[in-house]
Amino acid sequence: MAKEKLQGWVHEPVTAVLGTRGKVAALRILWRAETAIPYREVVRRTGMAYRSIDLALGELTQTGLVEELAGGRERLVRLRSGHRLAPAIATLMQVESDFFAALRVELRIVAETCRRDGMLGAAIVGPAARGEELLGRPLDVVAVVAETGLVSRCRAAFDATGDTVRSRFGAELNVVCYDLAAARATWHTQTAAAVRDVRESELLAGSSLAALLDG
């Protein structure tokens, strides 16, 4: 089936520019590039199929946001800085590049507060730590505290920031707190998935989960 042509794109240029994952991926690469780069290099850096990026760059070129330059045997492309949407796209890409880092800072502030109250370590685990999170799934955080009496205090501190994380980043938190003895007891029945989560976790504060569990 032939791809449906864009209609009314001048009236709704954001749809034309950001309407597919391929377009967003191509724009992300071109925004980061300091000079015009080959078509095939855009494809390589996105990791997507050539056909998807070829279609994306074709439509982006038609909108004028991307321009194609002569480059011998290579087709070179770059963002057209004078396009009316270019500054807004650049701002959006910059915000995106800082998005996870800003979320991590919010969680680190809470984690550092908990650390002063006896938390030994906290980390983002699971898909979000690997950059593989699914839309609509919660962001998993594991915290380990010194003793059982500190579990509820640590959990309450993370729960208190849940609304902020939800409103600023659109992410739901799923926080699991263990005391050290319980965490190590659970670790004795580890699965392959649990080992991967621990090894690839994103540390927020304190000691790494691997160090705490293997200690």
Side-chain angles (χ1 to χ4, degrees):
M1 181 182 295
K3 189 174 184 292
E4 183 180 350
K5 295 290 185 181
L6 289 168
Q7 294 183 357
W9 78 267
V10 173
H11 291 82
E12 297 181 358
V14 173
T15 300
V17 168
L18 300 178
T20 67
R21 185 172 179 232
K23 290 178 183 177
V24 174
L27 287 172
R28 189 180 292 121
I29 298 304
L30 294 177
W31 170 72
R32 290 173 177 160
E34 296 182 357
T35 60
I37 59 177
Y39 231 71
R40 289 188 179 278
E41 182 62 14
V42 178
V43 176
R44 186 190 70 79
R45 293 186 190 182
T46 63
M48 297 180 66
Y50 180 89
R51 177 61 175 164
S52 296
I53 301 303
D54 185 46
L55 288 171
L57 287 173
E59 290 191 354
L60 288 170
T61 300
Q62 289 178 337
T63 68
L65 183 60
V66 170
E67 60 180 331
E68 187 173 323
L69 307 174
R73 291 184 300 175
E74 288 275 17
R75 290 188 294 171
L76 302 178
V77 286
R78 69 181 179 189
L79 286 179
R80 180 174 275 126
S81 60
H83 194 284
R84 183 172 176 81
L85 289 178
I89 293 297
T91 298
L92 181 62
M93 293 299 171
Q94 181 62 61
V95 172
E96 181 196 57
S97 71
D98 298 335
F99 194 81
F100 182 68
L103 171 58
R104 197 169 51 212
V105 167
E106 295 272 0
L107 295 177
R108 279 180 174 168
I109 291 171
V110 180
E112 288 293 351
T113 300
C114 291
R115 190 180 179 192
R116 292 193 291 271
D117 290 336
M119 188 194 75
L120 302 176
I124 299 171
V125 300
R130 300 188 292 270
E132 300 171 354
E133 66 279 0
L134 296 176
L135 189 62
R137 295 290 298 273
L139 187 152
D140 298 316
V141 173
V142 170
V144 179
V145 297
E147 55 188 51
T148 304
L150 300 174
V151 169
S152 59
R153 185 186 304 175
C154 177
R155 178 58 189 268
F158 277 102
D159 286 347
T161 199
D163 288 342
T164 299
V165 170
R166 189 180 305 109
S167 62
R168 284 174 53 79
F169 300 95
E172 296 284 344
L173 292 182
N174 176 41
V175 181
V176 179
C177 295
Y178 297 98
D179 64 77
L180 184 59
R184 287 178 173 173
T186 301
W187 189 238
H188 286 310
T189 59
Q190 62 193 256
T191 63
V195 171
R196 183 187 184 193
D197 283 349
V198 168
R199 302 304 178 195
E200 299 179 356
S201 59
E202 177 79 23
L203 183 66
L204 294 173
S207 300
S208 69
L209 297 181
L212 290 171
L213 296 172
D214 291 338

